[in-house]
Amino acid sequence: MNPKIYLSSPHMGGTEQHFVNEAFDTNWIAPLGPNVTGFEKDLETYLGNNSKVAALSSGTAALHLALILLGVGKGDEVICQSMTFSASANPIVYQGATPIFVDSEMDTWNICPIHLEEAIKDRIAKGKKLKAIIAVHLYGMPYKVDEIKTISEKYEIPIVEDSAEALGSSYKNQKCGTFGDISILSFNGNKIITTSGGGALVTKTEVLKEKAVFLATQARDQAPHYQHSEIGYNYRLSNICAGIGRGQMEVLDKHIGLRRNMNNFYKNIFKNTDTISVFTEPNSDYYSNHWLSCILVKDADNKGLREEIRLALEKDNIEARPLWKPMHLQPVFKNALYYGEKISENLFKNGLCLPSGSNLNIEDKQRITKILLKFSI
Ligand SMILES: *Cc1c(COP(=O)(O)O)cnc(C)c1O
């Protein structure tokens, strides 16, 4: 059996261990320390736009704190892009609020402005309290930033920007992770950079950042003893993990270049067919890190072509995965409200994520090419 080719696997740059060793040498084996502070600074510099970053234990923790900071609670409603990873939506439920799911559009595969506004109007007409809109840059592709922002401002509903998959992507030359009222990043093992597990909350003010750190460190009041006036969480990033993050920041842009090469690699494979299209930016306003390269199969007669491709790859130990199954189709959210048509459903049915790592070698690419070329005529 050939060695397994993964969709996206960790890719170390080389200096990560230096920062980790430094943590050991100085005994900063704790969820605070120079690597945590250093990693936050690196991210703030990279994102620009006056970003203030709180490093946390996961992207999910960051989403949870974002909703808490926006005052989401029992009885509130939160709008969420339906096609996404479940971690975008779960924190709504942690807060006792109700998720309202909205369909995607075809240009970016992200939240559809038309159905978003339809949902907002309908919920307001029914007297509901909408507390936030969770918009996601899936696979690194920026959502329709201007259109979504206009709607958010018109109805005065803040945006939680889920940029877990989009560190290094940009829209009109502004980095993803800086568009939300609050934004989040993830450094899980399969993301564009990894700290093994980790995430970050991005805000515009030092005050909000400090509030996030306060909540993430058990909400301890200023007192010599342990005193608490609020419910806290244990969500801070370990100083060891943050060391990995500092090393990863040094190779982030290089790795994005390699991921973008993977996207071109697939475009080249499928250049002679109209049946399979490679997901790409709708125009030059959008710049995707191409965290994952995806294809969409035209399967008018329902012959199951997408599965045929996936299984052919699987046979050679090459991982490929259908796109995110929309939340409104998930058993756990079967009673949730949904606004839209069947865009996300069709994407789920006919879309496939292909191996996209920045560390795929020539032999890997030859194995992938050999199988996919059979489908490219
Ligand atoms: C990975 C991911 C998250 C969650 O991040 P974790 O660090 O794994 O908790 C949230 N949203 C999206 C879209 C993701 O891909």
Side-chain angles (χ1 to χ4, degrees), residues 153-290:
E153 283 168 355
K154 180 170 167 190
Y155 295 95
E156 296 180 352
I157 307 168
I159 295 174
V160 174
E161 179 196 12
D162 182 344
S163 195
E165 302 178 2
L167 179 61
S169 299
S170 56
Y171 176 77
K172 293 186 176 168
N173 291 317
Q174 186 180 330
K175 287 269 188 323
C176 290
T178 64
F179 293 114
D181 291 271
I182 301 179
S183 307
I184 73 100
L185 302 168
S186 166
F187 317 115
N188 207 338
N190 57 349
K191 297 286 157 67
I192 193 106
I193 65 166
T194 182
T195 58
S196 73
L201 183 141
V202 188
T203 77
K204 301 271 174 256
T205 68
E206 199 62 48
V207 174
L208 258 190
K209 169 183 170 172
E210 273 167 23
K211 180 85 202 215
V213 171
F214 168 77
L215 291 171
T217 49
Q218 308 287 21
R220 188 181 170 189
D221 295 339
Q222 294 234 335
H225 51 276
Y226 275 81
Q227 176 168 305
H228 307 273
S229 314
E230 278 181 71
I231 294 293
Y233 301 84
N234 184 4
Y235 278 172
R236 201 68 164 125
L237 184 66
S238 149
N239 192 57
I240 309 233
C241 297
I244 306 174
R246 287 178 87 181
Q248 289 271 277
M249 284 306 286
E250 293 180 0
V251 289
L252 172 57
D253 279 335
K254 184 173 141 214
H255 287 186
I256 289 171
L258 292 164
R259 297 238 180 199
R260 289 177 56 84
N261 287 350
M262 284 308 296
N263 197 256
N264 284 325
F265 163 78
Y266 288 117
K267 274 189 206 147
N268 195 41
I269 289 178
F270 293 113
K271 65 176 183 283
N272 294 323
T273 173
D274 292 332
T275 315
I276 296 167
S277 55
V278 178
F279 184 41
T280 191
E281 289 94 340
N283 60 55
S284 60
D285 287 343
Y286 296 81
Y287 180 88
S288 170
N289 65 12
H290 286 303

Side-chain angles (χ1 to χ4, degrees), residues 12-265:
M12 294 300 109
T15 60
E16 291 84 359
Q17 256 179 328
H18 155 79
F19 291 108
V20 172
N21 288 340
E22 210 166 67
F24 274 79
D25 293 343
T26 54
N27 207 30
W28 279 106
I29 316 291
L32 78 166
N35 282 337
V36 174
T37 317
F39 186 39
E40 287 177 341
K41 277 272 157 306
D42 290 348
L43 287 164
E44 286 171 358
T45 306
Y46 186 81
L47 293 173
N49 263 71
N50 258 328
S51 299
K52 306 286 178 241
V53 174
L56 301 172
S57 54
S58 71
T60 311
L63 281 159
H64 190 194
L65 290 187
L67 296 183
I68 293 169
L69 291 172
L70 292 172
V72 173
K74 218 175 153 103
D76 293 333
E77 293 188 344
V78 174
I79 290 182
C80 183
Q81 183 169 320
S82 184
M83 196 168 94
T84 184
F85 178 44
S86 64
S88 305
N90 286 340
I92 303 170
V93 181
Y94 302 167
Q95 282 309 97
T98 305
I100 308 287
F101 293 114
V102 169
D103 204 358
S104 292
E105 38 77 15
M106 277 310 290
D107 291 337
T108 75
W109 297 0
N110 295 312
I111 194 163
C112 169
I114 295 163
H115 291 302
L116 171 61
E117 187 158 21
E118 175 200 330
I120 293 173
K121 281 182 174 160
D122 190 55
R123 300 321 292 158
I124 292 175
K126 295 196 163 73
K128 302 294 179 182
K129 205 156 181 211
L130 288 168
K131 278 294 190 65
I133 299 162
I134 300 175
V136 191
H137 308 294
L138 279 189
Y139 307 115
M141 185 65 70
Y143 60 73
K144 295 200 162 173
V145 170
D146 287 344
E147 286 92 330
I148 304 303
K149 192 167 179 61
T150 303
I151 294 170
S152 149
E153 283 168 355
K154 180 170 167 190
Y155 295 95
E156 296 180 352
I157 307 168
I159 295 174
V160 174
E161 179 196 12
D162 182 344
S163 195
E165 302 178 2
L167 179 61
S169 299
S170 56
Y171 176 77
K172 293 186 176 168
N173 291 317
Q174 186 180 330
K175 287 269 188 323
C176 290
T178 64
F179 293 114
D181 291 271
I182 301 179
S183 307
I184 73 100
L185 302 168
S186 166
F187 317 115
N188 207 338
N190 57 349
K191 297 286 157 67
I192 193 106
I193 65 166
T194 182
T195 58
S196 73
L201 183 141
V202 188
T203 77
K204 301 271 174 256
T205 68
E206 199 62 48
V207 174
L208 258 190
K209 169 183 170 172
E210 273 167 23
K211 180 85 202 215
V213 171
F214 168 77
L215 291 171
T217 49
Q218 308 287 21
R220 188 181 170 189
D221 295 339
Q222 294 234 335
H225 51 276
Y226 275 81
Q227 176 168 305
H228 307 273
S229 314
E230 278 181 71
I231 294 293
Y233 301 84
N234 184 4
Y235 278 172
R236 201 68 164 125
L237 184 66
S238 149
N239 192 57
I240 309 233
C241 297
I244 306 174
R246 287 178 87 181
Q248 289 271 277
M249 284 306 286
E250 293 180 0
V251 289
L252 172 57
D253 279 335
K254 184 173 141 214
H255 287 186
I256 289 171
L258 292 164
R259 297 238 180 199
R260 289 177 56 84
N261 287 350
M262 284 308 296
N263 197 256
N264 284 325
F265 163 78

